[in-house]
Amino acid sequence: MTFRSIGKNCTRNDGVEKTTGRAIFVADMKFPGMLHAKVLRSPYAHANIKDIDISEALKQPGVFAVLTGEDVPGPFGGAIADQYPIAKGKVRFAGEPVAVAVAVSERVAHEALKLVKVDYEPLPFAIHPKDAIAEGAPIIHEKLMEYRVAPYVNPVGKNIYQHFKVRKGEAEEAFESADAVVEGETWFSYIHHVQLEPHCAVAQYNLDGSMTMYSTTQAPFVVQNCIRELHELPLSKIQVIAPYIGGGFGGKSDITIEALVSCLAKAVPGRFVRLLLTREEMFIGTNLGRGGYCKYKVAVSKEGKILGMTGESYLGSGGNAEYAVNVVTGMGLAGTGPYEVPNLKLDVYGVYTNVPPIGASRGYGHPEVHLAVERLLEKAAQKIGMNPVEFRLKNLLGEGKINGIGQVMKHHNGNVVLCAQKVAEELYKNPKPDKGENILVGRGFTAYMKTPCMPSNVQSSVLIKLNSDGTVTLATGAIEMGQGTYTTLAQITAEALNIPFEKVNVTNKVDTLISPYEWQTVASHGTWGTGNAVLLAAEDLKRKLKEAAATVFGTKAENIKLDEDKLIYNDKILRWSDLALGYKNPDGSALTTPVMGEGHFVAKGVQNPDPETGQGNAAADWTFGSVGVELGIDKTTGEVHLYRLLNTIDAGTIINPQMARDQVLGAMTMVLGSSLTEGLVFSEDKGKIRNNNLVDYKIMGIEDMPDEVLIDFVQTPEESGPYGAKGLGEHGAVSVAPAVLNAIYDATGKDFYELPVTAEKILKALEGGE
């Protein structure tokens, strides 16, 4: 099929604004009389608040308000109502707000907080999830079993707020008949998203009982609903505006500072209040990612078939759960990796820990379980003496095979076998390079799959307005945060209307009072979900144009032909622009109305998984791929040098190849960091994050990038996607970590199961340590 705009490297429609510095972000915004807030945060990971004295802080000139937990409503939460905007009676992580000052400037607010006196009673704390579930562990939420929870949440107690089960076949019998069994434990460390733009929110509680908020959020409609829940305001009076965002990666999809800022605004009616976090506060005062601890066991036959798999996975979810509930689900849905496992028993637990809350992070539970699965499959292949690539190819989910939650794979789901074959061919086509006797060279290979973790009735809506010059304006509730969503949606719009890409403009901010509804911009959902809404809106626009033209020509709509921006009936022609604002009769009276297309998409056939087995049509679509890594390790320093990084992904039809490649590369780069250098370190005395800055928290730099990156696309059209497309924004993150660890094993003969694998750890292992 030949496309006009699809598959083309159209220039990003936000490129000029961003490269010239003219793009507006929340921190750029100034409002008359705007006040500023600063937060006093707990120095303890776990402590009772015995007393807070704010009297001296309130006396300071320029201070308008000082709030504590006693001054704010709560608890709140969509999945589980377990948090307050400011700690009330107890703190559950170091960095949790205990008091907030609102003043004429950040400096005045900061100085006022120095005068707040807090009397803490330190309590034992648990950082790692296995410590939080151990006998005698401190209870982090004493009233867990009393919280209001969503129907799909299954609290267990003793710090476990969620238990997600997957059951298929007879796992115990599979292990009894196995020729080989391998088992192991993996730990995907707590990490931070390190978005370029810090979290910022500005809010005003108006004298008419309405509230306006500008926020760095991926989910403005979720923020709107949170404000409604906290303050019992009607949604029609809550305006949440989200302009461009400078990076999200999931860390701005959860409620972080918005609930707090809404309370501050209500404390000083009529004034705008701004909270802008520092880089250090980003680490301790917003959501973190990962924290996945897995214990897996795999049974295989001597012929290389996976017979059974069991696993216990624990997500260390921080002091509050909320979005982590759904990350637990993701760990269950993808708990087998991209392999057919006939006999399966998985238990995934969400566990409170005394760290900042864990939320969405690129990959959403999938990287955590892929680390366990891919490391053990490498071990299984070694044990039965089979080539690791051959072993995986025997078990990958091809067409007709059944995945872990009972879905039969169809052709349009994607060709993971071809992805794996392409990566293996490229990775192993030549002998290992000779880098000298001091460098150990290794190669690692993995495969992966990911589904969007989303509600069964997830919604997307768009509006296409036809302008009087024949151009169109697309209004959407989706957020542009660097991923190129607005460019992709413009290409889909142009293709659906058969007009030039340059004639499509996309509104560059979302306003919950007037923008079409969008669930949120997460889960690699935009191209697939919002793109489908665009197709429906385009069809609606064309239908209305034909009806309007038929009225003008005095015929039926089915007699009207569309040819680009022309409407043709016999030898009569109208331009779209003639109908945009409505057509007039010769005497000037109105004949037709202005034309606008509406599109509303809801995923069809997606079900909630069975609570006892996890089985069901719980995933709308799957994206498959494979990763290869070639690296060298310096025997004297333990340092890793990345030679080649390969990724072949079947994401259906690729809308914009250059942006698609950039997204996959960005995702892989993030997980290279968490594989080799990134990991949060907590103090032993108070449980505080010790490396909450970009000096001590080492992210990937240009000097750390692989010498060669090869990204390839297998384009099997997805029947439910716009022009056969589906998501790919997160997928590069899913299976990079185990590929790196497999390559390290190949180079050194040393098995690592915990991240990050730093040069220090490698050197210690080479010298005979664990």
Side-chain angles (χ1 to χ4, degrees), residues 558-575:
E558 56 261 34
N559 296 328
I560 305 297
K561 291 200 305 185
L562 278 171
D563 182 9
E564 294 194 350
D565 65 344
K566 296 187 290 292
L567 296 138
I568 303 170
Y569 174 61
N570 293 333
D571 58 346
K572 300 176 182 179
I573 297 176
L574 279 174
R575 297 280 180 178

Side-chain angles (χ1 to χ4, degrees), residues 564-627:
E564 294 194 350
D565 65 344
K566 296 187 290 292
L567 296 138
I568 303 170
Y569 174 61
N570 293 333
D571 58 346
K572 300 176 182 179
I573 297 176
L574 279 174
R575 297 280 180 178
W576 290 12
S577 54
D578 298 329
L579 300 171
L581 302 181
Y583 196 83
K584 294 189 295 185
N585 287 309
D587 64 0
S589 60
L591 181 61
T592 64
T593 59
V595 182
M596 180 181 291
E598 297 181 29
H600 308 281
F601 175 73
V602 178
K604 299 292 194 305
V606 182
Q607 308 165 330
N608 295 324
D610 183 279
E612 292 303 316
T613 66
Q615 301 295 295
N617 193 43
D621 66 88
W622 293 94
T623 299
F624 291 97
S626 182
V627 173

Side-chain angles (χ1 to χ4, degrees), residues 89-284:
K90 183 179 183 180
V91 293
R92 295 177 171 87
F93 62 92
E96 185 171 6
V98 293
V100 187
V102 178
V104 294
S105 69
E106 287 187 345
R107 182 187 62 80
V108 172
H110 179 72
E111 292 299 317
L113 290 180
K114 293 180 180 179
L115 302 174
V116 175
K117 299 175 182 176
V118 186
D119 184 11
Y120 295 100
E121 178 190 9
L123 299 171
F125 57 86
I127 301 298
H128 197 288
K130 67 181 179 182
D131 296 328
I133 60 173
E135 188 173 345
I139 300 300
I140 297 171
H141 282 266
E142 291 82 359
K143 296 184 178 181
L144 167 60
M145 304 308 291
E146 301 174 21
Y147 289 149
R148 172 180 55 79
V149 300
Y152 56 87
V153 179
N154 179 27
V156 176
K158 296 181 180 179
N159 294 331
I160 298 176
Y161 64 84
Q162 175 68 321
H163 180 197
F164 186 87
K165 306 173 188 176
V166 181
R167 303 287 188 270
K168 178 186 172 188
E170 300 294 337
E172 292 183 6
E173 293 181 10
F175 280 88
E176 292 175 0
S177 62
D179 295 308
V181 174
V182 292
E183 56 186 313
E185 302 178 20
T186 57
W187 168 242
F188 207 126
S189 176
Y190 297 115
I191 59 171
H192 192 261
H193 306 78
V194 196
Q195 306 97 328
L196 181 63
E197 175 201 31
H199 286 253
C200 183
V202 183
Q204 179 188 46
Y205 179 66
N206 304 301
L207 301 180
D208 64 354
S210 63
M211 184 173 290
T212 300
M213 177 178 287
Y214 298 82
S215 173
T216 53
T217 177
Q218 297 173 229
F221 292 94
V222 174
V223 172
Q224 183 192 37
N225 197 59
C226 174
I227 294 172
R228 177 201 62 80
E229 179 188 358
L230 273 175
H231 304 292
E232 298 182 345
L233 300 175
L235 289 172
S236 59
K237 285 199 167 189
I238 305 169
Q239 182 181 30
V240 178
I241 299 171
Y244 287 135
I245 294 179
F249 316 121
K252 293 176 181 172
S253 63
D254 308 14
I255 300 296
T256 53
I257 64 173
E258 292 83 8
L260 171 58
V261 174
S262 74
C263 295
L264 302 180
K266 202 165 184 185
V268 286
R271 301 293 290 266
F272 280 98
V273 181
R274 181 176 90 156
L275 176 61
L276 171 64
L277 300 190
T278 65
R279 179 58 62 187
E280 289 75 14
E281 285 181 300
M282 290 283 288
F283 280 87
I284 65 173

